[in-house]
Amino acid sequence: MRLIQAGGRLAGMEGSDATGPVSNGRTDGASVVRAVPAVDPVALIQSALPAGALNGPPAMPPDDDLDEDPTGNLDGLVGGVGVGSGGGNVDASLGGDMDGADAEVEEEGAGSPPPGASALPPRGMSVREIDNIRKLAANFRSLGLDPESLAHAPYRRVLLSGESALPATGEAAAAAAMLRGAIGLREKWLYRREVEEWDTPARPAPPRPSPYTTFVPPPYDPFDEPLPAASAAVCHWEDGVLVVYASPAALMRRTPIYPHRRWREFADDLRTLMSVVVAPAARSFCHLRLKLLAERFAMHATLNERQERLEQAAVPHRDFYNVRKVDTHVHHSSSMNQKHLLRFIKSKVRRCGDDKVLIDRSDPSGERVLTLTEVFKSLNLTTHELSVDTLDMHADNTTFHRFDRFNLKYSPAGQSRLREVFMKTDNLMGGRYLAEITHELFSDLRDTKYQHSEPRLSIYGRAHDEWAKLASWAVTHKIYSDNVRWLIQVPRLYSVYRKLGTVDSFQTLLDNIFNPLFEATLDPRAHADISHFLQQVVGFDSVDDESVPTPRLDLRRAPPPASWTSNADPPFEYQAYYLATNLSVLNRLRESRGLNTFTYRPHAGEAGEVDHLAACFLLAHGINHGINLRRAPVLQHLYYLTQLGVAMSPISNNALFLEYLRNPFIAFFRRGLNVSLSTDDPLQLAMTKEPLMEEFAVAAQVWKLTSTDLCELARNSVVQSGFEGCCKAHWIGERWWEPGAVAPEKTNVPQTRARYRYDTLADELCAVYGEVPTDVYCLPTHRARMSGGGEGTPAAAVRGGRDRSQSSDGDSAAGSSAGQSSSLGGSSGRGVSGASRGIGGPTVGGDGRGVEDIIVEEEVVDAGL
């Protein structure tokens, strides 16, 4: 292991045998990033698993916690890496396949900095100098620091030597093959758009100002957008999935436009994935890699914290309070705090007491309507008696592991009638009170400017007109804010509706959820309210108590939805497949019509079985909670490699399932998983007017998060969110999708942190693939994300995001770029209905320079390299 100063790398671990593949893609001085050939993921996994591993019921992983320290404190995890006062060599044993690897800690010069970049002085700054700089931070001009010099300054990192990037034999090689197969399964099942924002050099759709917008408007008018004409296509249900045909004649011939994969195939692939999750070789390999990631972050924080603070101080205007942050997981009915709701209820009782709000259930005729004053009188309540304690909506110690009691906290004063009056969209008043308090929440967000939210609205699937009522509420009351985009949550309550006789089968629930969506997509003008409302919807969620056991059955033999007529809920994986598959077909239809599409971001891993997280690994674009990843090191490592977004809510978990200090959030973050902080239920959990800031504040105090950590989490939340590309580009940089392109002037995330995150991700990908793969769509290193030059590319990010194409060594750079172009050119190989996404020979370096010029030249003296 070597600790050196360098300006950051584009790819991979730099340790390799002299004759073996160089993990960062450099061979004999040439800069090449090789594509990984396509293989059958199931066959790859079967070849790596022991004989008979797929026979019989899959074993569940033991309920162990990967993190030995419940507080997530990594101070003691540096383990086998030591730093001597004189920078000497230190031996370390990392265990597993890394036994015998040399561990060398050495500080050396980074060589000549890239042309046009001025490096920091080679000597380290004293504590007094750092303190003086911090005292002057109030006046940027007095700092005497060049922001570009700081952005290009070398940083110290840990490199591994003495092991090849991809083990050729043994358990590690088998584990790497299984992980590649698992990622291949996600590649097979994950929905992706035909044309992503990074698939074309064209700029995203421009903002469309309207009377309803204030800051950065979306690329549409929220309520007056022209709608496309009706389509001739028809839809037909087939085994629980709506299939689209170009015409009735095509339906008769059974030639669908968008074919889909069947449930039996998904059940088989999920079974294969679970065999990887419980494989001993894969568990040992992933546990070691995750432990190594934690140790590397601890070392990085120790060696580079000062430099990160300097880089932040050198960015004018930006700090944590004025960088964009999104509450990626919050339920709309509980998105206000208790004091806000209390003031609103008192105000309405005093000023609008004569409003007719509720049908009197005690009236046999059902015709008598109660006013708001009469409702409170029937409850024996007065405004003077109302208080936060009277409302009794705050989660306390009685709700821990009691999801039923937590749900009761949604009703003010424990009265379902008050919940219907104030917190429903389809009541007698058409949801007027909820619309008014929603506009007050919009006003609060507008005042903060830099905070955004993605609230959930419910579609239950118990009636066909639910979508029409919800859309009418949104359009009638002009529910729109620049700071808000909506997700639709589908509660998993089939068993309740079946016992009440509301639905006959699981197919009835699917009919009520998806028929209105397909109808509004095929003929938007005939369903104008739904079509306009869907513009603001960015994704779908699936919610309920995961800890409730579901029937254990062979998923491959599960009946189709029309035949699921029992009173028991279908398994989580069953519901996830049918929701995600129907969304996939719907998205492909909407994209073909020029309409927006939706992501699938369910609740998963809050409680229940680990296989919930496995199903979401195959189907979901992001998840909420995910705390059970701590029980499954293989899934945790897969979530890291694919950078699958996880919106975590430690305060919510503390009230329901896991004490705050045991929450794995801090361990996930330090290892590099794509995590963000969210509020979940401010009404039950928050104490202040800004619940998202409260979530950040508690985490910062408990886990001693630095300003860099907070800004990185804020940026993660924007990337995970469903806001349009033009909004994200304005908030976090033109090339926000690209790993390493953090735009410090917008996000306040130092380039040092961005380079570290990219370097470690590339190292882990090299440990699995032998090189940084560029043809796996579900990985952040896919060639489409890495191509298309210009400021903000990973190559530019490594150098600080500045174009220096006019440097003195431009001739040699051009030669390197030519080789790079030939290796990355061509099509991504994916086409539907004749469409293909061609990537025409881009260079890795956004300024016409290749990888060789990006990496700061350094003198390597280790005999193992």
Side-chain angles (χ1 to χ4, degrees), residues 454 485-488 534-540 596-601 721-724:
E454 289 185 320
R485 296 295 181 270
W486 300 98
L487 272 82
I488 299 299
L534 288 178
Q535 293 180 121
Q536 301 182 52
V537 176
V538 298
F540 278 69
N596 64 305
T597 58
F598 315 114
T599 57
Y600 180 53
R601 292 157 52 187
S721 74
F723 280 83
E724 295 79 13

Side-chain angles (χ1 to χ4, degrees), residues 188-199:
K188 172 182 176 181
W189 284 98
L190 183 67
Y191 162 75
R192 67 254 198 175
R193 290 175 55 91
E194 285 302 308
V195 180
E196 293 282 8
E197 288 157 316
W198 49 80
D199 283 332

Side-chain angles (χ1 to χ4, degrees), residues 282-337:
R283 287 174 59 84
S284 296
F285 178 84
C286 293
H287 179 84
L288 175 65
R289 303 308 304 184
L290 291 169
K291 183 177 179 181
L292 183 60
L293 283 170
E295 293 174 346
R296 291 184 68 175
F297 183 85
M299 183 69 77
H300 170 82
T302 301
L303 299 172
N304 295 287
E305 183 178 359
R306 289 182 178 181
Q307 180 168 325
E308 290 180 344
R309 280 190 283 178
L310 283 174
E311 290 184 43
Q312 286 192 311
V315 176
H317 176 63
R318 291 296 174 193
D319 55 40
F320 169 68
Y321 292 95
N322 58 17
V323 298
R324 304 286 177 164
K325 50 193 78 70
V326 181
D327 191 350
T328 49
H329 169 211
V330 58
H331 302 279
H332 180 55
S333 293
S334 61
S335 55
M336 72 294 293
N337 62 56

Side-chain angles (χ1 to χ4, degrees), residues 403-404 407 460-463 491-506 509 543-545 548 550 564-570 575:
F403 203 86
D404 55 338
N407 279 337
Y460 298 93
R462 58 191 174 191
R492 296 187 297 273
L493 297 175
Y494 162 80
S495 61
V496 176
Y497 307 147
R498 182 71 182 91
K499 292 173 183 177
L500 293 175
T502 306
V503 299
D504 299 324
S505 66
F506 189 69
L509 187 141
V543 301
D544 201 33
D545 184 6
V548 175
T550 54
W564 192 287
T565 57
S566 69
N567 290 339
D569 275 315
Q575 300 191 50

Side-chain angles (χ1 to χ4, degrees), residues 444-464:
D444 292 342
L445 288 173
R446 185 168 58 249
D447 291 342
T448 67
K449 181 178 178 180
Y450 296 100
Q451 295 182 39
H452 306 266
S453 180
E454 289 185 320
R456 272 69 170 164
L457 291 168
S458 294
I459 289 292
Y460 298 93
R462 58 191 174 191
H464 186 77

Side-chain angles (χ1 to χ4, degrees), residues 5 16 46 51 125 149 171 216 282 330 348 438 464 476 542 559 568 588 590 615 625 644 720 722 803 823 832 845 859:
Q5 286 191 343
S16 171
Q46 290 175 343
M125 290 188 175
S149 297
E171 283 192 350
V216 182
V330 58
K348 288 302 170 184
T438 299
H464 186 77
T476 300
S542 177
R588 293 161 76 181
R590 290 181 65 83
H625 293 298
L644 198 157
Q720 291 179 19
D803 183 7
S823 67
V832 177
E859 183 178 354

Side-chain angles (χ1 to χ4, degrees), residues 839-850:
I839 308 299
T843 60
V844 172
D847 53 2
R849 308 194 327 154

